[in-house]
Amino acid sequence: GESVGLHLPTLSVQEGDNSIINCAYSNSASDYFIWYKQESGKGPQFIIDIRSNMDKRQGQRVTVLLNKTVKHLSLQIAATQPGDSAVYFCAETRVNQGGKLIFGQGTELSVKP
Amino acid sequence: EAGVTQFPSHSVIEKGQTVTLRCDPISGHDNLYWYRRVMGKEIKFLLHFVKESKQDESGMPNNRFLAERTGGTYSTLKVQPAELEDSGVYFCASSQGRHREQYFGPGTRLTVT
């Protein structure tokens, strides 16, 4: 459903710790999911994606987990660094939707040195 | 390779005025998307071009918004007349294919007073 309010969920972690950012997606028919990172003054930047026929995908320091049963997506960042501080958005889409992305509310990650 | 560029970066206009936003996609990307983030809420889809054709404009809020992509290169998004609730950040993204990674521009921050 619609998110409300002006305040994003915030996650604060210590440098070097692992971060887990969660997202509940809306449409059980979605078959492609992406995590984006948005730094202040910049547009969203692709981090990692996963298709619905997978439940886990790993990148460099990042892992995305997909649980279709409960429509849940998570992004794990290993050894979080100050440069990881940003707003993280999950997005979903369907193959027959032409690439139109439906974004989640976003989570602000703050990394303390 | 140049990324997606948007102009202007910031626009402040009065209610009732007209504003035109411009997006230059990555060269060779046929797919161009417009999104916006209003009042700190989630990023929402506005419309999708494939070359010069509008494929999906289901996210356009009303007929005060007009998007064009003449020649299938850059795109413009005109708001006429602007209302207070149009304030937000307007993002453009482009991709090679409909289900390929979308590259976002830095956004245009529109403030309607």
Side-chain angles (χ1 to χ4, degrees), chain B residues 6-94:
Chain B
Q6 293 186 245
F7 183 83
S9 58
H10 194 177
S11 179
V12 181
I13 61 172
E14 292 183 353
K15 176 182 173 181
Q17 289 185 322
T18 298
V19 63
T20 300
L21 314 181
R22 173 171 170 145
C23 168
D24 286 78
I26 293 173
S27 177
H29 282 193
D30 288 340
N31 291 269
L32 188 149
Y33 304 82
W34 283 98
Y35 296 87
R36 74 172 180 176
R37 189 176 180 206
V38 174
M39 289 291 288
K41 295 187 177 180
E42 65 268 29
I43 300 169
K44 287 199 169 181
F45 168 84
L46 294 177
L47 86 159
H48 170 211
F49 285 99
V50 176
K51 297 185 181 178
E52 68 275 9
S53 299
K54 293 177 185 175
Q55 292 296 293
D56 181 354
E57 43 185 338
S58 61
M60 294 289 263
N62 51 60
N63 59 10
R64 295 185 294 103
F65 289 74
L66 175 64
E68 295 180 319
R69 193 183 181 195
T70 307
T73 54
Y74 71 90
S75 174
T76 58
L77 179 65
K78 180 190 289 188
V79 185
Q80 179 182 29
E83 298 289 343
L84 298 178
E85 64 264 25
D86 300 332
S87 295
V89 182
Y90 289 76
F91 293 105
C92 173
S94 72

Side-chain angles (χ1 to χ4, degrees), chain A residues 18-22 35 48 56-58 60-65 74-78 80:
Chain A
N18 296 334
S19 303
I20 300 176
I21 300 171
N22 297 302
W35 279 100
I48 191 168
K56 180 179 180 179
R57 188 162 188 228
Q58 287 186 294
Q60 187 176 20
R61 280 203 307 121
V62 293
T63 301
V64 55
L65 299 177
S74 69
L75 176 71
Q76 300 178 358
I77 304 174
T80 314

Side-chain angles (χ1 to χ4, degrees), chain A residues 43-62:
Chain A
Q45 178 185 8
F46 174 93
I47 302 173
I48 191 168
D49 59 0
I50 188 168
R51 299 197 180 275
S52 59
N53 60 354
M54 304 172 68
D55 53 22
K56 180 179 180 179
R57 188 162 188 228
Q58 287 186 294
Q60 187 176 20
R61 280 203 307 121
V62 293

Side-chain angles (χ1 to χ4, degrees), chain A residues 2-3 6 43 46 95 98-99, chain B residues 33 39 42 44 99 101-102:
Chain A
E2 286 273 327
S3 64
L6 302 178
F46 174 93
V95 169
Chain B
Y33 304 82
M39 289 291 288
E42 65 268 29
K44 287 199 169 181
H99 305 293
E101 178 181 343
Q102 291 184 28

Side-chain angles (χ1 to χ4, degrees), chain A residues 36-112:
Chain A
Y36 283 92
K37 171 186 180 183
Q38 186 182 8
E39 297 174 280
S40 181
K42 298 182 179 179
Q45 178 185 8
F46 174 93
I47 302 173
I48 191 168
D49 59 0
I50 188 168
R51 299 197 180 275
S52 59
N53 60 354
M54 304 172 68
D55 53 22
K56 180 179 180 179
R57 188 162 188 228
Q58 287 186 294
Q60 187 176 20
R61 280 203 307 121
V62 293
T63 301
V64 55
L65 299 177
L66 174 62
N67 184 331
K68 295 182 288 293
T69 302
V70 294
K71 294 192 291 184
H72 185 266
L73 198 65
S74 69
L75 176 71
Q76 300 178 358
I77 304 174
T80 314
Q81 303 168 359
D84 295 327
S85 294
V87 177
Y88 290 80
F89 293 95
C90 65
E92 60 184 292
T93 189
R94 295 206 310 265
V95 169
N96 63 359
Q97 282 201 320
K100 164 185 174 181
L101 296 175
I102 300 169
F103 283 86
Q105 182 184 24
T107 296
E108 183 169 7
L109 175 66
S110 175
V111 182
K112 296 176 288 187

